[in-house]
Amino acid sequence: MRHATPEYIVSSITALGGLLFGYDIGIMSSILQMGQFNEYFDSPSPLATGIIVSSLTIGCFLGALVSGPVADRYSRKTTIVLGALVCTIGSAIQFGSINREMLIAGRFVNGLAIGFLSSVVPMYQSETSPPSDRGRMVSLQQWAITWGIFIAFGIDYGCSFISGPKQFRLPLGLQIVPSIILLFTMSFMPYSPRWLIAHDHIADARQVLGRLRAQGHASVPEVAEELRLIHQTIVYERETKKSTYVELLRFPNRRRTFIGCGMQFMQQFTGINTLMLYAPTIFRYMGMGSVQSIALCQAINGLVNVSATVPAILWIDKWGRRPTLLIGTVLIIVFYLVLALLMRSYMALTGEDEGDVVIINMSARSLGLASICMVYLVVASFAFSWGPCGWLIPSEIFPTHLRAKANSVTTGTNWISNFVVTLTSPLLLDVGHWRLFIALSAIMGANLVVIYLFLPETKNLTLEEMDILFMDSAWAFRSSPLSFLSPKKLRRLSAASALTTAT
């Protein structure tokens, strides 16, 4: 009988990288509203605010691109350690910032670290997890992100009562704590068994699999069989395939690249970071006047994000990736449309937008509170669907010889998309108000079509079985889950996969 405790420990420790990621995202949202911050940094304009916030994402983009070769050569584990070290340095720079330039530089350095961690942590979790629990293990990364955001919101709320520069310096400095914890605890974590096998450390890989799957009993048949299958696949890939970035654009990998990059691109254009980073601006539009009330609403926003991720952790391996994404997308579309109508009515009622008419007949206070609730419902719908699946799917669909490079490209896509969103969101909110959410609902409609047409179901498959899955129809709604394929079709797809890759 397999004991999952070691797998949970490994995935939970590495998920601290996600907590750092979430903390860095969440910490600036309420800081930007703090009087002491605006006084110290001379009240940044919407453009300057966008640059301060998005400087993190530029660093993340570059860090993600570099992470692939580093993870291939020096291991997934070492790359995570390096990310934690760089994050400690960047956090110290932000804590000691004396001007905007130093603050931007510190966020850029932190971005390099988060780029490493956001690319490599899901891949490491995917490679150390069994097929039956892989969705749950990788979803721990997203849950840790939501915890990081929530903790940041809570700290911002508590610090909003402090006077002087400590009001914003303390939240910036406290992110050093989890980075040091990750730096220390990763020394006790195993190397990825697939990385060990790819570098001919077969005996070490056997011991790691024994620790992860059989409480240290490396000689049990299940461990021997998994080791054999992984070794067989890696040797075959080494003899017949090239490990270059160009291979990501060639058949049969280009379909996976399209899906992996598409998932990360679409995840950002759900608008989630607009709601996470600039929700205080929305709350202010909806009548929340004080820094404390805005920070409290944002803390509740973070709590909703944490809570709504739990169903994905518990059941995503049962539900499947496709149904989870399709349901979440439909809910986000509906809630965005309602949010837009509520905001339009509120702004027309209060005279903030004289060209609009009141569509929903409620008091201004009721419209404001209902709008805030719609923000929470959008966040909840994202949290159980696009949040975990956006990281899970790219981490599991690529072959071992390309996985690190592919994840660096897909994660880079996430961060360049994030940069566009974070840079433009304050400007679009300032000019368009409720119209932004109409546009986001339209984008989500396009996402819905793409998921339905092109995303195959990957639950319960080994990483080595993905080659067979992606030899099936490119139209996902026509393809069958691999577990339901007939033996005849399974043999045909396996043979076709071997023939294609050999040529």
Side-chain angles (χ1 to χ4, degrees), residues 128-193:
T128 55
S129 302
S132 59
D133 292 332
R134 188 173 61 244
R136 177 177 298 181
M137 298 303 168
V138 180
S139 293
L140 288 174
Q141 149 87 350
Q142 176 62 24
W143 199 39
I145 292 173
T146 66
W147 271 107
I149 294 171
F150 175 60
I151 291 170
F153 289 168
I155 289 174
D156 279 347
Y157 175 67
C159 290
S160 68
F161 296 94
I162 300 175
S163 59
K166 290 180 182 179
Q167 186 182 66
F168 66 87
R169 290 198 186 279
L170 189 59
L172 292 173
L174 284 175
Q175 58 194 319
I176 293 175
V177 176
S179 65
I180 290 177
I181 293 174
L182 178 62
L183 187 65
F184 173 74
T185 54
M186 274 307 297
S187 62
F188 300 99
M189 297 299 103
Y191 288 90
S192 161

Side-chain angles (χ1 to χ4, degrees), residues 6 82 103 147 181 421 470:
L82 181 60
L103 178 64
W147 271 107
I181 293 174
V421 170
F470 281 92

